[in-house]
Amino acid sequence: MSIFSSCCIIDDDEFFSISSKRVLKQFDFSDNILYYTGGQEALDGLIGLLVENIPLPTIIFLDLNMPRRDGWSFLEEFQDLPEDKIAHVQIYITSSFISPELMEKAKNYSLVKDYIVKPLTENTVKKIIDSQELE
């Protein structure tokens, strides 16, 4: 049995997605890993889950720098979804940028749990799992 029933990767970098899925599978992190290549596609897909009365993933790994709808724009619209449908969601920003300004900006979003500098490593996944066990 996995730690989470589902998680989601929102990133236009296919290599990051593949390597992240590999690390997550090592820890039996999730039964179902959703993958979207952009913010708009992710919003459409996640809203589709809500329409079908399917719970949203507990963990979302969100890239900031994507074409059409970036991670910030995704966050703005996502946080406006019904509170009872998104309260359990934890978003982890995944970015190549080591930027104190971006890290500080991420703290303004209550759903953002942490800011992870790519790549997603075994150590990072362990920290996420350990943080769940403490709650």
Side-chain angles (χ1 to χ4, degrees):
M1 171 117 176
S2 296
I3 298 162
F4 302 102
S5 58
S6 70
C7 72
C8 178
I9 299 170
I10 305 171
D11 199 306
D12 61 327
D13 180 346
E14 189 175 350
F15 178 76
F16 173 78
S17 171
I18 291 168
S19 64
S20 296
K21 286 179 187 177
R22 188 172 295 128
V23 172
L24 294 171
K25 287 180 181 180
Q26 286 176 356
F27 289 91
D28 202 16
F29 192 83
S30 178
D31 294 329
N32 184 21
I33 301 174
L34 303 174
Y35 173 60
Y36 299 103
T37 58
Q40 188 61 53
E41 178 191 3
L43 275 172
D44 294 345
L46 296 174
I47 290 169
L49 293 177
L50 292 178
V51 168
E52 295 293 324
N53 209 21
I54 298 169
L56 295 178
T58 306
I59 304 289
I60 296 177
F61 296 101
L62 175 65
D63 185 28
L64 293 177
N65 193 12
M66 297 178 286
R68 282 193 349 135
R69 181 182 291 271
D70 67 8
W72 299 120
S73 176
F74 170 87
L75 276 171
E76 287 295 327
E77 198 157 331
F78 186 81
Q79 71 183 2
D80 290 338
L81 294 175
E83 174 67 26
D84 63 320
K85 302 292 186 188
I86 64 170
H88 72 285
V89 177
Q90 299 173 27
I91 297 176
Y92 289 83
I93 301 292
T94 53
S95 179
S96 302
F97 300 108
I98 304 171
S99 164
E101 293 85 17
L102 294 179
M103 291 175 180
E104 197 59 38
K105 183 177 179 180
K107 292 178 184 176
N108 294 326
Y109 295 89
S110 60
L111 292 172
V112 174
K113 184 88 168 165
D114 203 356
Y115 187 105
I116 298 168
V117 178
K118 290 179 179 180
L120 189 62
T121 64
E122 291 179 13
N123 196 31
T124 304
V125 172
K126 282 182 200 173
K127 286 180 183 176
I128 294 169
I129 293 167
D130 291 345
S131 74
Q132 302 304 309
E133 293 170 355
L134 295 174
E135 292 180 1

